[in-house]
């Protein structure tokens, strides 16, 4: 039987470090639940020392997740480790992931520490973390640019101090596959106590090589891969979970290990993460892109009809693309609605949640004849994001847009239960609506992104709008879907405002000030 490849998902931590991808506590819980359903082994839920909000999010995830290990990140300092230990305490199984940089440039320019000091700090941090849990992961940050001799000493010391997983990050995405695979092999051969820890890799995608480097590491002995849904992450992102998992699963003839993942949850997870972060998935993205299983050329279509394997190396259903795009409509009942969502991997926590989403489904079905899976997924994403607790709610929106006339919008919002209205002109209907909303709310948020995409095809399709707002360095996304894109835009703008006005400032994990 093949060995197990551990999947460590860091969408909620490194993924959240993508500029503009910050997530609220409830959003993190929703994503964590899908990851658990996907049977991800370890969920890195955040960096608890970064801000009170991050701490609360990690704690909340640790309180609801029962079947995956919940991990908190900590720099190699007491304060961070204490916070990570406290935040992950409610978990059924918890891990502390502590790290310190080991490359010459990071030690000299960022940490201003000598290699000996770094070595001591690493040893101390692992020992200290072990006071709280038996499951401690250590990462020598920027290992991909560290000197091999020194890296071997740090890894040996961390294992001797009690690290059960040693993670080798290519922090700046500088390595190439042959070199990175050789690094893992050399570490495993040279470090005398290497057999006492699981070797893990964490690759960034600056040269587009994160997945290739991770897979090469697996071929050379790594048995944990750190990755993110849709390849989200700092700068160009991390290795994408879906690509790692499906490469290993599809090529069992070459990989000596396999994951325990429920791959049918991949597409629902991708959609949810994309909806929450506002990062769209490119159509030709492997596994989760809209075209990943579409055949355009006649020759290919003919081949697939005759025998699917002529042009398909995986089954779309196996990654969660629905084989049967059963269409619902306004006559569909609550049970059909619930059953279809269950098949799509969405279950409601309470009857109340089911009922309110069903009401919204009926509203949508009044405007749109056929409801596709994509519409249902947009509906639940929006429902989950709103959660009924937002300060600002859209009550009505009226727009007047006419050739030769200045577009004008009248908006009524409910603010903490009280209604307020405003009118504004704009260069278009969306612009006028945003200005009217801003007149009421005065958020001061700067619009950084406005994107519209169609959820399904046809002129009655829902438009999905993402709005990204920035204020004082904080960035928040809003998402709205509606058959009328001006209304979808207003919903999305209001959601971004709701988040912007309640989020906490956080510290970046790689900031070394605490050391
Ligand atoms: O990229 C990196 O080095 C990291 C570490 C904290 C593991 O994210
Ligand atoms: Zn990283």
């Amino acid at each position: 039987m093949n060995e197990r490849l551990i999947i460590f998902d860091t969408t909620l931590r490194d993924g959240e470090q993508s500029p503009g991808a910050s997530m609220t506590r409830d959003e993190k819980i929703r994503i964590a639940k899908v990851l658990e359903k996907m049977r991800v082994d370890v969920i890195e839920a955040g960096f608890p020392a970064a801000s009170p909000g991050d701490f609360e999010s990690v704690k909340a995830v640790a309180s609801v997740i029962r079947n995956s290990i919940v991990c908190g990140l900590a720099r190699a300092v007491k304060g961070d480790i204490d916070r990570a230990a406290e935040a992950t305490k409610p978990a059924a199984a918890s891990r502390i992931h502590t790290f310190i940089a080991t490359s010459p440039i990071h030690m000299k320019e960022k940490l201003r520490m000598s290699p000996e000091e770094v070595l001591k700090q690493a040893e101390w941090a692992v020992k200290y973390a072990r006071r709280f849990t038996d499951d401690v992961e250590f990462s020598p940050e920027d290992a991909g640019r560290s000197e091999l001799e020194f890296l071997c000493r740090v890894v040996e010391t961390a294992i001797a101090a009690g690290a059960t997983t040693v993670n080798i990050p290519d922090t700046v995405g500088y390595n190439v596959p042959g070199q990175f695979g050789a690094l893992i092999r050399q570490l495993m051969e040279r470090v005398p106590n290497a057999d006492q820890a699981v070797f893990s890799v964490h690759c960034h995608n600056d040269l587009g090589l994160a997945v290739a480097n991770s897979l090469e590491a697996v071929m050379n002995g790594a048995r944990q891969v750190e990755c993110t849904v849709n390849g989200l992450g700092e700068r160009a992102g991390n290795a994408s979970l879906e690509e790692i998992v499906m490469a290993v699963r599809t090529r069992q003839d070459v990989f000596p290990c396999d994951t325990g993942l429920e791959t049918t949850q991949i597409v629902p997870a991708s959609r949810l993460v994309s909806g929450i972060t506002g990062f769209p998935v490119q159509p030709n993205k492997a596994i989760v892109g809209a075209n990943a299983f579409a055949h355009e050329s006649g020759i290919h279509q003919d081949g697939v009809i005759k025998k699917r394997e002529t042009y398909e190396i995986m089954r779309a259903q196996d990654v969660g693309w629905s084989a049967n795009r059963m269409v619902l409509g306004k006559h569909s009942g609550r049970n059909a609605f619930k059953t279809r969502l269950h098949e799509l991997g969405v279950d409601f926590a309470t009857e109340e949640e089911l009922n309110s989403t069903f009401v919204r489904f009926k509203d949508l079905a009044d405007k749109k004849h056929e409801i596709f899976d994509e519409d249902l997924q947009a509906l639940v994403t929006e429902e989950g994001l709103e959660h009924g607790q937002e300060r600002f709610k859209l009550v009505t929106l009226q727009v007047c847009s006419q050739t030769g006339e200045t577009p004008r919008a009248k908006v009524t919002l409910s603010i903490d239960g009280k209604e307020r209205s405003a009118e504004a002109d704009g260069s278009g209907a969306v612009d006028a609506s945003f200005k009217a909303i801003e007149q009421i709310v005065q958020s001061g948020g700067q619009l950084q992104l406005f994107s519209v995409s169609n959820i399904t095809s046809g002129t009655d399709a829902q438009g999905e709008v993402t709005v990204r707002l920035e204020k004082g360095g904080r960035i928040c996304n809003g998402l709205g879907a509606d058959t009328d894109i001006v209304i979808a835009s207003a919903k999305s703008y209001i959601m971004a405002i709701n988040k912007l006005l309640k989020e906490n400032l956080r510290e970046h994990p790689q900031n070394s000030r605490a050391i």
Side-chain angles (χ1 to χ4, degrees):
M1 215 178 64
N2 268 346
E3 280 180 62
R4 175 70 167 249
L5 177 63
I6 298 166
I7 292 297
F8 177 114
D9 179 278
T10 183
T11 308
L12 303 180
R13 199 278 297 170
D14 213 321
E16 202 199 13
Q17 285 171 225
S18 307
S22 69
M23 303 164 202
T24 64
R25 192 191 62 165
D26 289 353
E27 290 166 355
K28 281 196 172 192
I29 292 175
R30 277 175 67 81
I31 294 175
K33 283 185 178 168
V34 175
L35 295 174
E36 182 183 41
K37 202 164 187 176
M38 208 197 289
R39 300 208 208 111
V40 158
D41 302 280
V42 188
I43 299 173
E44 188 166 51
F47 174 41
S51 72
D54 273 40
F55 176 86
E56 289 306 330
S57 298
V58 176
K59 197 169 169 192
V61 170
S63 308
V64 296
I65 296 302
R66 286 289 153 276
N67 300 314
S68 303
I69 297 169
V70 178
C71 175
L73 182 70
R75 288 166 295 189
V77 292
K78 183 173 180 307
D80 278 28
I81 296 170
D82 286 340
R83 292 294 272 171
E86 183 69 22
T88 53
K89 207 151 92 188
S94 67
R95 174 178 295 188
I96 296 176
H97 175 193
T98 186
F99 73 98
I100 189 164
T102 52
S103 64
I105 183 170
H106 276 227
M107 290 191 289
K108 181 164 179 271
E109 308 294 342
K110 186 182 88 165
L111 297 177
R112 307 222 158 110
M113 288 169 83
S114 69
E116 291 311 312
E117 285 170 328
V118 166
L119 195 68
K120 270 210 187 110
Q121 188 80 23
E123 181 180 25
W124 174 86
V126 172
K127 281 191 176 152
Y128 186 63
R130 278 296 300 253
R131 289 199 203 169
F132 302 99
T133 169
D134 290 344
D135 189 346
V136 172
E137 172 169 328
F138 171 74
S139 291
E141 190 195 359
D142 204 15
R145 290 189 302 171
S146 299
E147 283 164 3
L148 183 62
E149 291 304 324
F150 181 59
L151 196 57
C152 286
R153 282 180 68 205
V154 176
V155 168
E156 183 182 350
T157 304
I159 296 173
T164 41
T165 302
V166 171
N167 177 49
I168 305 300
D170 181 18
T171 303
V172 290
Y174 180 69
N175 282 228
V176 293
Q179 174 198 12
F180 196 63
L183 172 65
I184 301 303
R185 193 180 57 248
Q186 282 171 320
L187 282 170
M188 292 184 73
E189 281 169 5
R190 286 194 193 192
V191 171
N193 52 5
D195 60 328
Q196 289 164 38
V198 172
F199 274 69
S200 165
V201 287
H202 174 112
C203 296
H204 278 272
N205 207 28
D206 300 68
L207 294 173
L209 294 170
V211 169
N213 285 342
S214 305
L215 293 177
E216 194 59 33
V218 172
M219 292 300 234
N220 282 279
R223 286 297 174 267
Q224 175 179 287
V225 173
E226 301 200 354
C227 45
T228 56
V229 174
N230 297 341
L232 212 63
E234 184 87 37
R235 304 182 309 280
N238 289 72
S240 113
L241 176 145
E242 55 278 7
E243 293 176 24
I244 298 281
V245 170
M246 290 316 291
V248 171
R249 179 69 49 92
T250 307
R251 296 305 310 270
Q252 280 292 289
D253 54 330
V254 294
F255 285 99
C257 51
D258 195 7
T259 72
L261 255 66
E262 176 48 61
T263 58
T264 54
Q265 293 303 314
I266 285 179
V267 168
S270 163
R271 287 229 169 102
L272 182 65
V273 169
S274 168
I276 284 175
T277 58
F279 280 52
V281 174
Q282 75 198 56
N284 59 335
K285 164 85 177 63
I287 322 289
V288 292
N291 293 349
F293 292 88
H295 300 280
E296 178 67 21
S297 101
I299 297 174
H300 288 208
Q301 286 174 354
D302 179 56
V304 170
I305 290 165
K306 287 178 176 145
K307 187 151 180 76
R308 188 186 59 78
E309 287 85 351
T310 51
Y311 287 100
E312 278 185 7
I313 58 167
M314 296 166 270
R315 289 179 349 138
Q317 301 96 291
D318 291 347
V319 296
W321 290 106
S322 34
N324 158 23
R325 287 161 48 103
M326 187 182 98
V327 174
L328 300 180
K330 68 179 191 182
H331 300 298
S332 306
R334 215 161 148 278
N335 205 25
F337 172 74
K338 187 177 163 192
T339 307
R340 189 66 197 138
L341 277 166
H342 175 75
E343 284 160 7
L344 293 171
V346 179
D347 291 305
F348 295 96
T350 60
E351 276 298 291
E352 203 188 329
E353 231 180 76
L354 165 63
N355 290 342
S356 73
T357 316
F358 185 62
V359 169
R360 283 153 45 86
F361 159 74
K362 283 289 186 181
D363 284 348
L364 179 63
D366 270 342
K367 294 188 238 165
K368 192 171 184 287
H369 280 332
E370 296 171 323
I371 309 282
F372 294 97
D373 291 341
E374 290 82 352
D375 292 312
L376 293 178
Q377 266 149 346
L379 206 67
V380 290
T381 301
E382 217 187 49
E383 177 79 13
L385 298 177
E386 286 179 358
H387 232 262
Q389 293 157 1
E390 62 280 12
R391 271 196 77 198
F392 306 99
K393 287 184 188 147
L394 179 65
V395 180
T396 56
L397 171 62
Q398 218 181 316
V399 284
C400 183
S401 182
Q402 213 177 313
T403 41
E405 295 295 327
T406 306
R408 189 161 181 79
K410 181 174 178 197
V411 173
T412 301
L413 299 185
S414 146
I415 307 176
D416 299 327
K418 274 202 191 130
E419 288 194 5
R420 283 194 52 198
S421 303
E423 288 186 43
D425 289 342
S427 58
V430 171
D431 188 44
S433 311
F434 286 9
K435 284 185 173 138
I437 295 168
E438 196 53 33
Q439 256 186 47
I440 303 173
V441 177
Q442 313 235 320
S443 76
Q446 296 298 312
L447 188 67
Q448 286 208 329
L449 174 106
F450 171 72
S451 89
V452 186
S453 55
N454 52 323
I455 293 179
T456 53
S457 53
T459 50
D460 71 342
Q462 289 198 90
E464 191 167 55
V465 176
T466 303
V467 162
R468 184 171 300 152
L469 293 178
E470 188 269 343
K471 188 183 178 186
R474 274 178 293 159
I475 298 174
C476 293
N477 293 306
L479 186 80
D482 200 281
T483 45
D484 181 326
I485 60 162
V486 182
I487 295 175
S489 305
K491 284 187 192 170
S492 170
Y493 191 71
I494 293 165
M495 183 188 289
I497 287 175
N498 272 314
K499 286 159 88 178
L500 193 69
L501 300 184
K502 89 171 168 206
E503 288 229 325
N504 291 308
L505 271 179
R506 64 157 58 85
E507 184 162 7
H508 194 286
Q510 264 106 333
N511 177 345
S512 56
R513 264 188 300 143
I515 292 180

